[in-house]
Amino acid sequence: MENVPGSERDSFTSKFGIIAATAGSAIGLGNIWRFPYLVGENGGGAFLFLYLSFVLILGIPVMLSEIVIGRKTQRNPIGAFLKLAPGKPWFLIGIMGVAAAFMILAFYAAVAGWTMEYLYQSVVNGFQGKSPEQLGEMFTSFREGSWRPILWFLLFMVLTSLIVISGIKKGIEKYTKILMPLLLLILVVLSIRSLTLPGSAEGLRFLFKPDFSKITGDTILQALGQAFFSLSIGMGTLITYGSYIRRNDNLANTVLSVSMADTFIAVLAGIAIFPAVFAFGIDPAAEEGLVFIVLPSIFQQMIGGYFFSILFFILLAVAALTSTISMLEVVVAYFVEELKLTRKRATIISSLLISVLGLFAAGSWGWFDNLTLFGNNVFGLLNSSVNIMLPLGGFFIVVFIGWFMGKKAVEDELSNEGSLKARFTIVFKFLVKFIAPIAIAIVLLNQVGIIRL
Ligand code: PHE
């Protein structure tokens, strides 16, 4: 089935296009910047173990639930709940999702701006001859600078808006199809270099040998937040993308391919980073700066490092871009469908609003460094709000699918109105009815101190 004749709605045009766009949303700075530094901060293997478990038993069901809601309703996250449960408060999940998209994009585009700075530094050979310590100082002083982080951030917002204005098909599919496989390839090359550095074995041990005594309530929450963040779930991105998926595409296959690709890239990033961290004697808990110190150090030890470093930061910026467009798309789809703005106007207004918040995030170590709450700057607040907002959104989404959406509607989506077998349905139902809501609730209640793990 193609688009309904006469409908204005855009849709993805090929099976690979859907997977590419959804994977493009999932794969990004979450895998290559956020995941490694959280692993480093949270003691390595045990964090990885928790993360992988959460992807499998919570992430995949939430992701499938979102896509089911999106394709069923063909709406943005707020419109979707208004359509499925008119007159009930479920649309509040959609509002929370749009708010999360807003907040995440604001700090995410700031980090995307850092990758542009690092692309620039690669081109002008700015890492040349610098020790890891000097690279650390370089990162800090860049972030503390006044204009640069902000200009790069704004540039990135402009790029994102331009692509979103051009619409789904032409905009998103075109860019992801070729560039994601290339990113994978370069990560493999980096991993090989990292693994062949003297002293790298310790890094592999750190990443893969869990030390469960390192797990605290906070580690668990961070692993859960990161699993949701990396899969782009819990805020309606996949409701929005699901709404562009055609009726005859297989939802479960899409979800499995995307979550596997996303997880694989994150683990691969870990394999590229940690052996080098130990080989160079870098502190694994170097927080947000970790990859920006480690990667340039690896490039300096590589034949063709100059070239690889440019290519890598281009690809990382593109990976970030395919994620930022998916976040902006959530807000824009809402403005277009519910507030009846044109796509262009919706994009311009929403990106301007987001940019205002983003200025504070990008300038969190510069101009706005004394703007703090409980010791966190704006960037830190937005970055850690992920850990609560996304699991909370995911919780309500699975509860909705498991208990309120109606068995037949869910089954119809999973099986494309009975034309697919969808044998996994029973497992899926069990996960969304019981396991996922209970597990997410336990982690969140633990965080607010109502129960103690
Ligand atoms: N999943 C993206 C990444 O890993 C980030 C993202 C989060 C995108 C939420 C959309 C929604 O980089």
Side-chain angles (χ1 to χ4, degrees), residues 66-79:
E66 276 195 35
I67 295 204
V68 162
I69 294 175
R71 191 176 66 172
K72 168 97 193 137
T73 58
Q74 307 271 300
R75 288 279 185 292
N76 64 87
I78 298 177

Side-chain angles (χ1 to χ4, degrees), residues 10-245:
D10 232 335
S11 72
F12 292 126
T13 47
S14 69
K15 198 165 151 207
F16 190 66
I18 301 158
I19 297 189
T22 315
S25 168
I27 297 166
L29 298 167
N31 310 58
I32 290 161
W33 161 73
R34 203 172 187 268
F35 173 75
Y37 97 71
L38 289 178
V39 171
E41 234 176 28
N42 289 288
F47 182 87
L48 177 65
F49 173 81
L50 284 173
Y51 171 79
L52 293 176
S53 321
F54 288 152
V55 167
L56 196 68
I57 52 168
L58 307 178
I60 292 176
V62 172
M63 197 173 191
L64 190 51
S65 303
E66 276 195 35
I67 295 204
V68 162
I69 294 175
R71 191 176 66 172
K72 168 97 193 137
T73 58
Q74 307 271 300
R75 288 279 185 292
N76 64 87
I78 298 177
F81 285 105
L82 286 172
K83 189 166 172 184
L84 289 173
K88 308 242 171 62
W90 287 102
F91 70 96
L92 293 172
I93 309 171
I95 294 188
M96 191 170 81
V98 173
F102 206 94
M103 290 164 63
I104 294 178
L105 181 50
F107 84 87
Y108 194 95
V111 183
W114 304 349
T115 68
M116 303 287 275
E117 165 77 14
Y118 273 64
L119 172 57
Y120 167 78
Q121 291 297 343
S122 306
V123 174
V124 300
N125 223 342
F127 312 129
Q128 181 71 19
K130 292 209 163 70
S131 65
E133 204 167 79
Q134 289 168 320
L135 286 166
E137 283 157 18
M138 182 176 161
F139 177 74
T140 321
S141 66
F142 156 67
R143 228 172 37 165
E144 286 171 357
S146 29
W147 281 104
R148 292 175 88 91
I150 293 200
L151 286 179
W152 288 125
F153 158 75
L154 290 174
L155 177 68
F156 211 85
M157 285 302 298
V158 171
L159 280 176
T160 307
S161 321
L162 287 177
I163 297 179
V164 170
I165 289 178
S166 80
I168 286 295
K169 264 181 265 176
K170 288 172 271 138
I172 302 175
E173 282 180 37
K174 197 166 80 190
Y175 297 92
T176 5
K177 275 187 201 167
I178 329 155
L179 295 166
M180 289 303 105
L182 211 58
L183 178 68
L184 181 83
L185 203 69
I186 193 166
L187 272 177
V188 171
V189 174
L190 271 173
S191 304
I192 294 173
R193 176 67 273 223
S194 183
L195 287 168
T196 49
L197 289 167
S200 62
E202 191 55 37
L204 276 187
R205 226 168 289 137
F206 178 80
L207 181 61
F208 290 113
K209 197 159 166 272
D211 172 358
F212 290 106
S213 68
K214 294 242 169 76
I215 295 184
T216 62
D218 200 48
T219 313
I220 300 176
L221 183 76
Q222 301 227 31
L224 181 63
Q226 175 58 18
F228 278 42
F229 184 79
S230 193
L231 294 171
S232 305
I233 55 179
M235 54 170 249
T237 317
L238 293 184
I239 296 184
T240 311
Y241 272 26
S243 76
Y244 303 126
I245 295 182

Side-chain angles (χ1 to χ4, degrees), residues 11 18 28 42 57 76 87 103 119 146 171 226 237 259 271 285 291 307 330 335 352 379 391 416-417 420 440 451-452:
S11 72
I18 301 158
N42 289 288
I57 52 168
N76 64 87
M103 290 164 63
L119 172 57
S146 29
Q226 175 58 18
T237 317
S259 48
I271 297 177
V291 294
F307 164 78
V330 172
F335 278 14
L352 280 177
F379 183 98
N416 290 353
E417 322 279 328
L420 301 171
I440 298 173
I451 52 173
R452 272 276 151 248

